[in-house]
Amino acid sequence: MSNPLNQAAAESGSTYLRGPVVIFGTGLLGTSIGLGLSHRGLEVLLSDPSPSALSVAVDIGAGRPLHEQPGVWPELVVVAAPPDVCARVVADALERFPAAVVVDVSSVKGAILRELQELSAKNHLDLSRYVGTHPMAGRERAGAVSARGELFNAMPWVICPHQGSGQGAVQVAQNLGLDLGAVLSRFSPEEHDDAVALVSHLPQMMSSLVAARLQEAAPHALSLAGNGLRDVTRIAASDAGMWVPIMAANAEPIVTILHQLHEDLIKLIGTLDAPAAPGASLAMAKVISAGNAGQARIPGKHGGPAQPYAWLSVLVDDEPGQIAQLLTEIGEIGVNLEDLRLDHSSGRNAGIVEISVLPAKLEPLIEELTVRGWKVLQ
């Protein structure tokens, strides 16, 4: 899904930002922003407390070191620092570059804004030039070596102006997202933090809690693990150093949701303590049904309403080129894939490719794949 405004700029060879752009922090997000803007021809200057992290970002083409460009007057400063130090870096940038718009890309907004307001009460910061933002993009691997200039393409980028943000500053913040190909949305800082507590921070904690139960599991039990467990625990591999400050900074809305979840768990435990009691089956069914209803509300392909896709599984030999051949033949059949997952066949030198398609395409695809010699599992 492309952003039409960004596409128009790309076709004209222009950018919404003029530059230069200074980026504080050369981790995954900061370096990816630098790569994306540099590829668009903008001048990007980088700074990081770690000389080695800065060196990697420079070496891969994300920009030039800021300390080598004294007297620069940037149009925009991007602060890509952890939430626990972000406000101080923003405050320093506002003072150091009095003509620049300053944005941060932290995953929490309210705590940073409150700290900035406290700092401003002492140091009279010009917060009209500050806008909080949050690109909803990332990877499980951190650091500049994992950065990609296309990381934000077609991904949500939330603009979170506060009441004192100047309209010009808001426009510059939007221009950053547009130049990186993102899809913009606008939330208040409070709305943002409530939303990410539910759709990002809670899933991370639930995934970690479930995965933690596996530490003492017997190997023969884990040998039965399938895609369900892998799906639930995938993000449990995330970096604790990144998540601890996020959880601390957004604790209040997270705790509210955890209390609600705690009440649901207590009810479920009570039901399962007496699974044969009158009404227990209905209570269990309601838990699953409520999950069905909630899952159906997650936006589907292209951001629109979720659609009920049909799934089929195809057994493929564990040999080079097998999956590519399968996908090529599905394309020849003329069926569009909506989603794809891979699993391994227990006890066989083979894999299982799980494919989702529109329901009307399911039976014709099964028939055609079977004719072509593929083993379709029902």
Side-chain angles (χ1 to χ4, degrees):
M1 178 169 56
S2 62
N3 187 309
L5 292 175
N6 180 268
Q7 183 177 356
E11 291 174 352
S12 67
S14 64
T15 58
Y16 289 93
L17 292 172
R18 302 184 308 275
V21 177
V22 170
I23 299 175
F24 286 103
T26 54
L28 172 64
L29 292 185
T31 303
S32 294
I33 292 170
L35 286 170
L37 296 181
S38 294
H39 291 166
R40 298 296 304 275
L42 288 162
E43 181 182 7
V44 178
L45 303 171
L46 306 171
S47 179
D48 195 284
S50 168
S52 61
L54 175 61
S55 178
V56 171
V58 171
D59 287 347
I60 64 176
R64 294 180 295 163
L66 175 62
H67 63 78
E68 295 180 1
Q69 304 294 320
V72 66
W73 286 79
E75 174 193 13
L76 172 66
V77 176
V78 179
V79 175
D84 51 347
V85 299
C86 186
R88 281 168 279 169
V89 180
V90 169
D92 289 343
L94 288 169
E95 292 184 328
R96 181 175 176 182
F97 302 106
V101 172
V102 180
V103 306
D104 76 277
V105 292
S106 175
S107 57
V108 295
K109 300 272 73 83
I112 292 170
L113 177 60
R114 289 190 292 272
E115 186 175 350
L116 278 170
Q117 290 169 335
E118 293 173 0
L119 292 171
S120 182
K122 301 175 183 177
N123 302 320
H124 304 290
L125 300 173
D126 182 8
L127 294 184
S128 69
R129 294 187 286 115
Y130 164 70
V131 181
T133 80
H134 182 198
M136 300 292 290
R139 305 182 71 185
E140 292 170 17
R141 295 173 292 173
V145 293
S146 300
R148 295 187 292 115
E150 304 81 16
L151 183 66
F152 311 101
N153 191 44
M155 299 300 290
W157 193 303
V158 189
I159 309 297
C160 300
H162 59 95
Q163 291 184 347
S165 295
Q167 185 54 46
V170 175
Q171 185 60 59
V172 171
Q174 293 177 167
N175 289 346
L176 171 63
L178 290 172
D179 278 339
L180 292 170
V183 179
L184 303 183
S185 59
R186 188 159 170 168
F187 282 53
S188 72
E190 297 77 17
E191 289 172 334
H192 168 274
D193 288 356
D194 287 345
V196 296
L198 178 62
V199 304
S200 177
H201 303 168
L202 180 68
Q204 175 62 54
M205 284 177 282
M206 293 300 99
S207 180
S208 296
L209 288 170
V210 171
R213 296 294 91 210
L214 306 178
Q215 294 178 93
E216 306 300 326
H220 69 277
L222 294 177
S223 69
L224 302 179
N227 273 344
L229 183 64
R230 294 188 182 96
D231 288 346
V232 169
T233 60
R234 179 182 61 82
I235 57 175
S238 299
D239 179 24
M242 178 186 76
W243 273 100
V244 168
I246 293 173
M247 293 165 63
N250 206 31
E252 184 175 345
I254 292 173
V255 166
T256 298
I257 299 171
L258 287 176
H259 279 304
Q260 297 167 351
L261 185 63
H262 177 257
E263 293 177 4
D264 293 339
L265 285 172
I266 292 300
K267 292 178 182 177
L268 179 58
I269 290 170
T271 298
L272 295 178
D273 275 340
S281 294
L282 177 60
M284 287 185 275
K286 286 183 175 179
V287 170
I288 303 301
S289 295
N292 295 160
Q295 195 275 339
R297 296 198 64 204
I298 300 173
K301 191 175 181 181
H302 308 305
Q307 297 188 44
Y309 297 128
W311 286 87
L312 68 150
S313 299
V314 182
L315 189 69
V316 297
D317 294 332
D318 190 11
E319 297 177 358
Q322 284 289 295
I323 295 176
Q325 180 63 32
L326 172 63
L327 298 183
T328 297
E329 294 193 24
I330 292 174
E332 292 172 354
I333 294 168
V335 174
N336 187 52
L337 298 186
E338 305 299 335
D339 200 357
L340 180 146
R341 296 191 300 236
L342 300 178
D343 199 0
H344 297 286
S345 177
S346 179
R348 293 187 60 177
N349 191 27
I352 297 173
V353 181
E354 298 180 351
I355 297 166
S356 75
V357 297
L358 292 174
K361 300 291 186 179
L362 179 63
E363 290 302 325
L365 179 59
I366 292 175
E367 292 177 6
E368 185 63 29
L369 287 176
T370 302
V371 169
R372 291 172 178 240
W374 293 98
K375 179 65 174 179
V376 180
L377 309 177
Q378 295 288 333

